[in-house]
Amino acid sequence: MKKILLAGIFLIFITLSACGAAKKDSLDGEWVHEDERGKLTLTISENKYVLSDENANKNITGNVDRKKNKLMRDDGRSLSYEMVGDKIVITGTNLDVSLERKE
């Protein structure tokens, strides 16, 4: 009986840990938007991001605030993001773009 109880607790712990990890990491990875103006790539890893604009040959870096859904730029400004289905939508002063996860 004791072994069954311990096995049950272990399975619950593993399941909850996996759900928490999946939620936290769902934003991590590489996101891409490509159109006639060029390619925009967003790479997120833990609490850091790099937004690369291939057309302008420019990289924007900063921190990810997952609680506020903000990409905090190193220069003090911020971009907002929102998950919409399987895409991420980024909005800022001069930016409004939807990116898909790169496979």
Side-chain angles (χ1 to χ4, degrees):
M1 181 69 175
K2 202 175 202 182
K3 288 182 181 180
I4 293 173
L5 182 60
L6 286 173
I9 291 171
F10 179 73
L11 287 174
I12 290 171
F13 175 75
I14 294 297
T15 303
L16 292 175
S17 296
C19 290
K23 184 178 179 185
K24 180 182 178 187
D25 296 339
S26 65
L27 189 61
D28 290 356
E30 196 167 349
W31 302 83
V32 179
H33 174 82
E34 200 163 359
D35 61 14
E36 66 280 349
R37 294 174 286 174
K39 184 176 178 181
L40 190 65
T41 306
L42 173 65
T43 306
I44 299 175
S45 178
E46 295 181 16
N47 64 344
K48 299 284 184 184
Y49 79 92
V50 177
L51 184 62
S52 302
D53 186 345
E54 193 176 87
N55 187 38
N57 198 20
K58 181 177 171 183
N59 289 336
I60 299 170
T61 60
N63 297 317
V64 179
D65 186 337
R66 293 173 191 259
K67 290 182 181 178
K68 295 181 181 178
N69 287 4
K70 296 272 187 186
L71 302 175
M72 309 301 289
R73 295 171 48 157
D74 289 338
D75 65 6
R77 296 184 288 170
S78 67
L79 301 167
S80 298
Y81 71 84
E82 180 181 3
M83 295 298 297
V84 179
D86 58 349
K87 296 181 180 184
I88 185 170
V89 178
I90 300 173
T91 55
T93 305
N94 296 320
L95 182 66
D96 188 9
V97 65
S98 172
L99 297 98
E100 295 181 352
R101 186 177 295 278
K102 183 175 180 182
E103 296 298 326

